[in-house]
Amino acid sequence: MEFLGTSQTASYCGPKKACAFRALPPAGPTPETQECYQPYSLPGYRYLKSWRPSLFYKVSNAQTCVDETATCRSPLRPPTILPALRSALFCRYSPRDWDKSNDLQMRGAEASRLWASRLTGDSMRLMQDKDELTRQMQEGTCRNLGQRLSDIGFWKSELGYELERLLNETHSMETVKRRLECAADELNCPLQVALECLYHREKRIGIDLVHDNVEKNLIQEVDLLKCCQEHMRKLAQRIDIQMRDNRDAQHALERDLEDKSSAQFIDEKCYNLRNTSDCITFFHGMEKVDGTVSVPETWAKFSNDNIRHSQNMRANSIRLREEAENLLETLSDQMWKQFTNTNLAFSARISEVTDVKSKLQTQLAKTLQEIFQAENTIMLLERSIMAKECPLKVAQTRLECRTWRPNVELCRDIPQFKLVNEVFTIDDTLQTLRLRLRETQDTLQLLVMTKCRLEHELAVKANTLCIDKEKCMGMRKTFPCTPRLVGYT
């Protein structure tokens, strides 16, 4: 232990000296005693002041002995203590502490031994229980895998039978499809022409983007062609859609069969795995990954739905083959009639736009003439305003000069009145001319805006005529003949 404080030299540690006591006062009080140990704390060790040893030293408050040659210089000496004794007082434990520590150690060792013995017994029972549980669960998993393999085999046979019947029905529809494909393909060209006309007319500008008779007839023609294609796909293209549906059902059956074959292979591999197999290993965290997308009910329902969907497609195919010979002639007549009505509407619209364009050109010529006259008027007004500025300067200069007349000569005479009146008159004239100039400039701006609008309208009409007359009517010169519309090549 580190020794704290400063050492003090005891009074009896030096050479022996003769002591001579002074006579005490006869009626003096009894000598008082005080504690000799007064610890001195070093910096940073002030917290040690709270503890003191239980042993104190007493020292008399009486006069100490004097030297043979001199008396004591101080009536009281500071208390002293030996360094070795102080160190022993600071670093010793009591027997009670020693007994208490040994008792605690023995009780802790006994408790740890009892806990380890109880834990060992529980661990043995736990291992036996878990081994039995693991064996039972592994056997149950093998039984479940075997049942799963039998279910997969059953659905594979059902899917294979339905797939064979669907392929036979698809082959039977090929003959009807060839004729109806020709009729449906012939409608693509007039439908494309009608749609191109609509797209070109969408490029009309401004007010000419109107829903007129031409657009109505074009929309009717497009709707009719699409309706004819829809009927021909119940008569032509609809057969192709049905065949695509058949192929979708076929693809679903084949994919289901392929998935079940893969699942059967994987489950057989899992069924044959044992604890002694070579290919087993740890895959940590796989029990936390749930990648399943179905349950046994939805799994069986998926295959059943694929089979039912295939049966429905076969029934639809049979109905379409029976309806394929009925409506081709009537659709051909309707398309020819609508094509003629649309062309007549185009001719009428082109005539109307041409008439409006000529009228706008006449209005533009008149507007240009008015603009020329307004520009001349503005030029004359500006010259008149500039001509009035010099007389105004002369009158104002005269008034300013007359203000320098001395004393009584500053008379409000007739020239003064005339000059003031002249300034006000010229100023009023300038304001009137400037107001008329602004009105004329506003009128000119309005005429310029009118000219721009007329020029824009003429450009719009020219664009409309180009679209209707050149682009649209140029594409509508031909139309498929009746034999091609009914599917003959």
Side-chain angles (χ1 to χ4, degrees), residues 360-370 454:
L360 289 175
Q361 289 174 343
T362 303
Q363 290 295 326
L364 178 62
K366 294 179 180 179
T367 302
L368 291 174
Q369 182 65 29
E370 290 295 332
L454 290 174

Side-chain angles (χ1 to χ4, degrees), residues 388-398 426:
K388 298 298 184 297
E389 290 178 354
C390 291
L392 180 62
K393 292 178 182 179
V394 171
Q396 290 178 349
T397 304
R398 288 173 176 175
I426 295 175

Side-chain angles (χ1 to χ4, degrees), residues 187-239:
L187 293 183
N188 288 332
C189 183
L191 177 60
Q192 185 66 26
V193 169
L195 290 174
E196 286 291 335
C197 291
L198 285 174
Y199 295 153
H200 284 305
R201 286 178 63 82
E202 287 296 325
K203 298 178 183 178
R204 293 175 296 171
I205 306 171
I207 193 63
D208 275 20
L209 195 61
V210 62
H211 186 60
D212 51 4
N213 288 331
V214 176
E215 188 169 356
K216 293 178 182 178
N217 279 278
L218 281 173
I219 292 174
Q220 290 178 3
E221 183 175 343
V222 170
D223 292 339
L224 177 62
L225 290 173
K226 289 182 178 180
C227 182
C228 290
Q229 281 189 336
E230 184 180 354
H231 284 83
M232 283 185 176
R233 285 172 181 141
K234 294 177 182 177
L235 301 170
Q237 189 179 4
R238 193 173 153 198
I239 292 288

Side-chain angles (χ1 to χ4, degrees), residues 275-287:
N275 293 335
T276 57
S277 300
D278 295 335
C279 59
I280 60 175
T281 184
F282 287 107
F283 293 93
H284 296 289
M286 291 303 298
E287 68 279 359

Side-chain angles (χ1 to χ4, degrees), residues 98-126:
W98 184 79
D99 294 335
K100 185 177 180 180
S101 175
N102 292 332
D103 185 56
L104 288 175
Q105 293 294 335
M106 287 185 289
R107 282 189 290 176
E110 183 68 19
S112 300
R113 186 183 59 79
L114 292 176
W115 169 255
S117 176
R118 186 163 52 249
L119 183 61
T120 302
D122 293 342
S123 300
M124 296 301 295
R125 288 191 297 272
L126 178 64

Side-chain angles (χ1 to χ4, degrees), residues 137 139-151 271:
M137 292 182 66
E139 292 177 354
T141 302
C142 290
R143 288 193 300 270
N144 294 333
L145 286 173
Q147 181 63 37
R148 181 67 172 178
L149 288 172
S150 63
D151 294 341
Y271 181 78

Side-chain angles (χ1 to χ4, degrees), residues 299-402:
W299 174 78
K301 185 177 180 297
F302 180 77
S303 298
N304 190 30
D305 290 343
N306 286 334
I307 294 174
R308 288 185 178 275
H309 180 65
S310 176
Q311 292 173 349
N312 292 332
M313 293 301 102
R314 287 193 295 108
N316 293 337
S317 299
I318 293 172
R319 286 195 298 269
L320 286 176
R321 285 193 291 111
E322 293 175 354
E323 295 174 2
E325 304 294 336
N326 297 328
L327 298 177
L328 289 175
E329 295 294 335
T330 56
L331 294 179
S332 176
D333 294 338
Q334 291 179 6
M335 285 186 290
W336 265 106
K337 183 179 180 181
Q338 184 61 42
F339 177 77
T340 304
N341 293 336
T342 303
N343 286 345
L344 293 176
F346 263 112
S347 300
R349 184 61 179 173
I350 290 171
S351 177
E352 292 176 0
V353 174
T354 303
D355 184 43
V356 172
K357 182 181 178 183
S358 63
K359 293 179 180 179
L360 289 175
Q361 289 174 343
T362 303
Q363 290 295 326
L364 178 62
K366 294 179 180 179
T367 302
L368 291 174
Q369 182 65 29
E370 290 295 332
I371 289 174
F372 177 75
Q373 293 179 0
E375 289 176 347
N376 289 334
T377 302
I378 289 172
M379 182 182 63
L380 294 175
L381 286 172
E382 289 176 348
R383 290 179 180 176
S384 177
I385 291 171
M386 293 178 62
K388 298 298 184 297
E389 290 178 354
C390 291
L392 180 62
K393 292 178 182 179
V394 171
Q396 290 178 349
T397 304
R398 288 173 176 175
L399 283 174
E400 196 275 336
C401 289
R402 286 174 63 85

